[in-house]
Amino acid sequence: MRRALELASSASHTSPNPKVGAVLVRDGSVVGEAAHQGPPYPHAEMAALEGIDAAGTTLYINLEPCSHHAALDGRPRLPCCEAVAAAGVRRVVAAMQDPDPRVRGRGFGYLRSRGVEVEVGLLGAEAKELNAAFVHHRTTGRPLVTLKLALTLDGRIAAPDGTARWITGPETRRKVHKRRAVADAVMVGAGTVESDDPQLTARDVGAERQPLRVVVDSSGRTDPKAKVFSGAGEVLVATTDASSHEVHVAWKEVGAEVIVLDGSERGVDLGELVTALGERLVLDLYCEGGAGLATSLLADDLVDRLELHYAPKLAGKGGPDIGDLGVRSMSGAHLWRIRETARSGDDLLVTLARRREG
């Protein structure tokens, strides 16, 4: 199973499909293995079965074999559970059930109905973490939202003059580019575009693809000449009817897609936006601020994970920071669980997961 997880992890980007690795074993020896490489490539178990005699083997796989019909290169594809049973696999050891409503135990049920022995749960926690965004999307309909903040030691996300370049060092910034390369979408607010003029692409990390770049701009202040509209990859601007038709046209003329959503007291209705991105099969949403967007996401309790990049710097009072979250006492503070801490050059990286009741 560890080898299956290793294979699954080897694929850089499989979204909107999960990362899956499959290992076929007979008499203690591996006779076939493969990883899913994302659409339109075959699922891991199908690739592992290709060209071998799988009769009597045990299949180790980190996710339940699918039970739904789909197309590959325009041709109907046999559900993986049916292919596995037809190949004569004797036993399937899976790390976890597929949370996709089209599967969700049906693959296991089919295998058992065909006399295949099924075991579920080996390294299940590791498998769930590997496909955290997929699991979250398939169970909530929304992407897993990660908010990244670069901070000084005293919690400032910019200097008093509003500048944020550069809080962290080059090694940490390179990690951010790697993170962009695997995200489905990267999101910033209009204030960040205005102050930093970021391109938001994954650069100098060998990225095979670029994430969707999402700009949240309720009033239409983003200049169509901003760098975010240049470079490879698609751009989406989320706005409200408070922005003019003329600016919508200008954004579209530089290649962006524009969606008009309801407004809230803080600007674009971010809950509606996150839901809309989920409907577009954005599973992994990486938010890079700034202060206004970060505050709104946190206040609306839309952040699932925090990625804090602390630099060994002090900025003092006066710089932008996180605004009002509606917390009036410590008992009402948002709770987070530390997942990992790591050093990155001179910086400290802390990742946390939101702790919600239940």
Side-chain angles (χ1 to χ4, degrees):
M1 186 62 77
R2 292 200 182 280
R3 176 58 180 161
L5 287 166
E6 183 180 77
L7 286 166
S9 302
S10 68
S12 60
H13 191 265
T14 62
S15 186
N17 293 351
K19 292 177 178 288
V20 182
V23 180
L24 287 160
V25 176
R26 179 188 290 116
D27 298 327
S29 298
V30 173
V31 297
E33 63 177 30
H36 178 48
Q37 300 298 325
Y41 296 100
H43 288 185
E45 52 270 64
M46 301 291 274
L49 287 168
E50 187 174 355
I52 70 166
D53 175 11
T57 59
T58 295
L59 169 65
Y60 292 88
I61 191 165
N62 59 293
L63 189 70
E64 176 183 8
C66 74
S67 59
H68 56 86
H69 291 266
L72 180 63
D73 295 332
R75 302 187 305 273
R77 177 183 56 77
L78 193 68
C80 292
C81 63
E82 295 184 21
V84 168
V89 173
R90 178 182 60 83
R91 178 170 166 251
V92 171
V93 181
M96 62 177 287
Q97 178 177 287
D98 190 335
D100 191 314
R102 297 172 298 174
V103 185
R104 201 174 293 172
R106 293 182 180 87
F108 293 147
Y110 181 88
L111 290 167
R112 290 184 174 114
S113 74
R114 295 301 186 273
V116 180
E117 181 184 347
V118 176
E119 298 178 22
V120 185
L122 180 62
L123 300 184
E126 290 90 333
K128 186 174 182 180
E129 177 57 31
L130 174 65
N131 280 307
F134 173 80
V135 172
H136 184 86
H137 181 270
R138 292 303 192 269
T139 54
T140 69
R142 291 183 168 191
L144 184 76
V145 178
T146 299
L147 174 61
K148 186 272 291 184
L149 295 172
L151 302 160
T152 61
L153 293 176
D154 48 350
R156 301 296 172 185
I157 61 177
D161 66 357
T163 58
R165 290 190 170 184
W166 296 104
I167 292 178
T168 54
E171 186 171 331
T172 302
R173 297 199 298 273
R174 181 175 174 80
K175 289 180 185 296
V176 170
H177 280 270
K178 288 183 177 180
R179 183 64 179 83
R180 289 176 184 173
V182 299
D184 293 320
V186 176
M187 186 164 77
V188 297
T192 295
V193 175
E194 190 173 56
S195 61
D196 295 346
D197 197 19
Q199 193 169 337
L200 295 181
T201 52
R203 300 183 299 279
D204 302 322
V205 291
E208 298 176 358
R209 51 167 292 281
Q210 293 295 335
L212 171 69
R213 289 168 286 172
V214 181
V215 177
V216 182
D217 183 349
S218 62
S219 61
R221 60 198 271 202
T222 301
D223 189 337
K225 296 179 181 178
K227 290 179 181 177
V228 72
F229 297 109
S230 64
E234 299 179 349
V235 181
L236 182 149
V237 181
T239 188
T240 70
D241 56 13
S243 59
S244 69
H245 173 72
E246 289 73 22
V247 76
H248 295 184
V249 172
W251 288 333
K252 292 177 181 178
E253 286 179 344
V254 292
E257 178 184 357
V258 179
I259 58 171
V260 180
L261 303 173
D262 291 337
S264 71
E265 60 182 17
R266 286 183 290 268
V268 173
D269 185 323
L270 294 177
E272 186 180 354
L273 172 57
V274 170
T275 297
L277 291 173
E279 292 171 352
R280 292 163 181 257
L281 297 182
V282 170
L283 277 57
D284 181 7
L285 177 59
Y286 190 57
C287 306
E288 297 194 37
L293 179 62
T295 299
S296 296
L297 286 167
L298 290 166
D300 291 343
D301 203 13
L302 293 172
V303 179
D304 302 296
R305 295 191 175 181
L306 272 176
E307 191 176 289
L308 305 180
H309 299 182
Y310 284 103
K313 299 175 181 177
L314 294 170
K317 292 183 178 181
D321 56 10
I322 300 301
D324 185 10
L325 301 182
V327 175
R328 297 296 174 258
S329 66
M330 195 55 67
S331 61
H334 296 187
L335 299 177
W336 298 85
R337 174 176 55 84
I338 296 177
R339 299 181 61 249
E340 184 181 3
T341 60
R343 185 167 179 172
S344 174
D346 291 330
D347 304 322
L348 175 66
L349 274 53
V350 182
T351 58
L352 307 99
R354 181 74 165 96
R355 291 176 58 186
R356 295 184 173 91
E357 289 188 21

